[in-house]
Amino acid sequence: MKLILLGAPGAGKGTQAEVISDALKIPQISTGNILREAVKNGTDFGLKAKEAMDAGKLVSDEIVIGILKDRIAESDCENGYILDGFPRTVPQAEALSAMGISIDKVLEVYVSDEKIESRLSGRRVCESCGASYHIEFKPSKVDGVCDKCDGKTIIRKDDSPEVVKDRLKTYHDQTAPLKDYYGKLGKLETVIGQDEVADTTKLVLKAVGVNG
Ligand code: AMP
């Protein structure tokens, strides 16, 4: 199954992508995580991407499309994948289609901007593996330490309130048009993000056909 998770930054699509990935045994592909890794390692495209990421803007279509193409060519993607954070523009969606990739479903996790602004202030991410936590809604077992890899959990630079406002604007201007794009293809399903992560998870799993 090939799925796209759509949603504003902080709507919880990464967390839900992880759950679906475990349930369906298909990899979660987060372009944001791949880009952060590239920035950390100081690779060529990491250096190019950093400025846009720090400002809450999008990295160029050319760079992310290249990243995505390489990633989905890996062997673990043979039985499908969940795209988390890609596509983020209509040209990116068109590039997927031009690669001959047929997406089964696009799941939007909807959360209002007001809630997102308050949620992102409590978000923590693992600097090693990218796992995402929230100090109130999804704390790690040990404060500051990742449950999965024992890495350090930190506040993302682009989760600061000013950058969050820019990221939301970028989302509404450039990514939200994808709802129309996939809606017209009959692929879009919207799940309303609930206050409790577990409640959203139930809706998401139902939407992708997993019971329980
Ligand atoms: P995320 O972790 O998905 O919120 O992504 C963090 C940042 O990486 C975004 O604010 C963008 O600057 C960049 N990014 C991630 N995915 C994409 C994409 N598909 N297109 C352009 N920029 C992206």
Side-chain angles (χ1 to χ4, degrees):
M1 174 142 38
K2 297 188 180 98
L3 296 168
I4 290 173
L5 277 201
L6 202 62
K13 63 182 179 339
T15 302
Q16 297 305 332
E18 242 178 273
V19 171
I20 303 173
S21 166
D22 285 347
L24 298 181
K25 309 270 180 288
I26 49 176
Q28 165 191 4
I29 299 178
S30 158
T31 42
N33 282 353
I34 297 173
L35 285 165
R36 275 185 290 278
E37 191 64 25
V39 170
K40 208 165 80 185
N41 295 333
T43 67
D44 239 16
F45 65 70
L47 292 174
K48 281 188 199 145
K50 186 175 185 310
E51 200 180 324
M53 291 173 78
D54 284 350
K57 305 266 184 301
L58 293 184
V59 173
S60 77
D61 286 338
E62 197 195 340
I63 290 181
V64 282
I65 290 167
I67 290 175
L68 201 271
K69 218 174 185 169
D70 288 349
R71 179 62 188 89
I72 60 178
E74 288 179 32
S75 60
D76 63 335
C77 291
E78 267 167 19
N79 297 322
Y81 38 78
I82 304 146
L83 300 183
D84 161 23
F86 186 99
R88 256 175 156 104
T89 63
V90 171
Q92 289 178 22
E94 287 168 348
L96 264 186
S97 154
M99 287 177 222
I101 290 163
S102 169
I103 297 296
D104 296 293
K105 188 172 251 186
V106 179
L107 207 58
E108 180 202 8
V109 181
Y110 173 79
V111 174
S112 71
D113 285 6
E114 294 73 31
K115 277 198 181 164
I116 281 175
E117 288 183 37
S118 85
R119 275 187 188 190
L120 285 184
S121 61
R123 177 155 81 172
R124 300 291 180 269
V125 292
C126 174
E127 64 175 0
S128 302
C129 75
S132 187
Y133 301 92
H134 190 281
I135 49 172
E136 196 181 333
F137 307 117
K138 192 194 166 200
S140 53
K141 289 189 189 106
V142 178
D143 190 32
V145 180
C146 177
D147 293 350
K148 296 194 168 167
C149 75
D150 285 341
K152 189 173 155 202
T153 64
I154 53 163
I155 300 174
R156 263 170 58 171
K157 203 169 179 180
D158 58 352
D159 278 349
S160 71
E162 318 80 69
V163 181
V164 166
K165 282 207 189 304
D166 287 337
R167 288 167 69 203
L168 283 170
K169 183 170 181 339
T170 302
Y171 176 77
H172 292 298
D173 291 348
Q174 297 190 63
T175 306
L178 289 174
K179 291 197 252 178
D180 230 31
Y181 179 95
Y182 286 113
K184 281 187 185 134
L185 296 173
K187 308 225 163 169
L188 182 74
E189 184 166 341
T190 298
V191 162
I192 306 289
Q194 308 291 306
D195 288 338
E196 294 292 330
V197 175
D199 292 336
T200 310
T201 297
K202 274 186 206 146
L203 299 174
V204 163
L205 288 178
K206 193 164 164 238
V208 298
V210 178
N211 294 315

